[in-house]
């Protein structure tokens, strides 16, 4: 890790500590980085926005700020809450469609396997 990145991390951590101590929590890039790191380690099939909005870290930040998790996500990515909600809905719909298609393909494969067994006997 370069000296510059260490210094930036130190400054971000100091800002976060000061904002926490002052009672006015501020969303920092470290929050998003931490969530993104957790997302990469996650084994669920959730999309990034879905993971972030549903994570307890995001809910804790939202409760400190008195806002919704989608507002926290919007602040992290620099978009409006409405734009994030649309992307989140699209992400969820895409995942659900993929799950439905996989289930249908599995069902077809099972039926074909049973037909093949019946033909062999």
């Amino acid at each position: 890790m370069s000296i510059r990145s260490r210094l930036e991390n130190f400054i971000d951590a100091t800002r976060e500590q000061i904002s926490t101590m002052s009672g006015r929590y501020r969303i920092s890039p470290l929050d998003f980085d931490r969530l993104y790191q957790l997302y990469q380690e996650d084994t669920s099939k959730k999309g990034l926005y879905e993971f972030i909005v549903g994570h307890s870290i995001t809910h804790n930040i939202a409760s400190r700020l008195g806002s919704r998790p989608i507002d926290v996500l919007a602040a992290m990515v620099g978009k409006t809450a409405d734009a994030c909600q649309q992307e989140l809905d699209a992400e969820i719909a895409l995942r659900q469609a993929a799950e439905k298609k996989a289930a249908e393909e599995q069902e077809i494969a099972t039926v074909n396997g049973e037909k093949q067994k019946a033909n062999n006997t």
Side-chain angles (χ1 to χ4, degrees):
M1 187 182 281
S2 71
I3 292 173
R4 180 184 178 110
S5 62
R6 283 190 219 165
L7 186 58
E8 288 173 354
N9 288 344
F10 176 76
I11 291 170
D12 286 339
T14 303
R15 283 183 183 153
E16 183 176 346
Q17 184 66 26
I18 290 170
S19 68
T20 301
M21 289 170 47
S22 71
R24 291 178 292 152
Y25 188 81
R26 226 178 41 100
I27 298 169
S28 74
L30 287 176
D31 295 321
F32 182 79
D33 291 345
R34 184 173 8 154
L35 285 164
Y36 186 73
Q37 217 171 22
L38 292 171
Y39 170 72
Q40 289 180 327
E41 297 169 5
D42 187 47
T43 57
S44 71
K45 305 237 184 305
K46 293 180 179 179
L48 178 61
Y49 281 14
E50 185 178 3
F51 177 82
I52 290 174
V53 168
H55 201 279
S56 60
I57 292 174
T58 308
H59 286 265
N60 289 339
I61 294 169
S63 68
R64 287 185 209 163
L65 295 173
S67 62
R68 303 172 301 163
I70 195 74
D71 295 323
V72 173
L73 172 65
M76 286 180 177
V77 297
K79 296 181 179 180
T80 65
D82 290 336
C84 287
Q85 186 64 55
Q86 288 175 348
E87 290 181 32
L88 175 62
D89 292 343
E91 217 176 63
I92 292 170
L94 185 63
R95 181 181 50 80
Q96 289 173 342
E99 288 173 352
K100 182 179 177 184
K101 184 178 178 184
E104 289 170 353
E105 289 174 356
Q106 180 65 33
E107 186 177 327
I108 291 169
T110 303
V111 169
N112 288 340
E114 290 173 3
K115 285 181 182 178
Q116 191 173 21
K117 281 183 184 179
N119 289 339
N120 290 340
T121 56

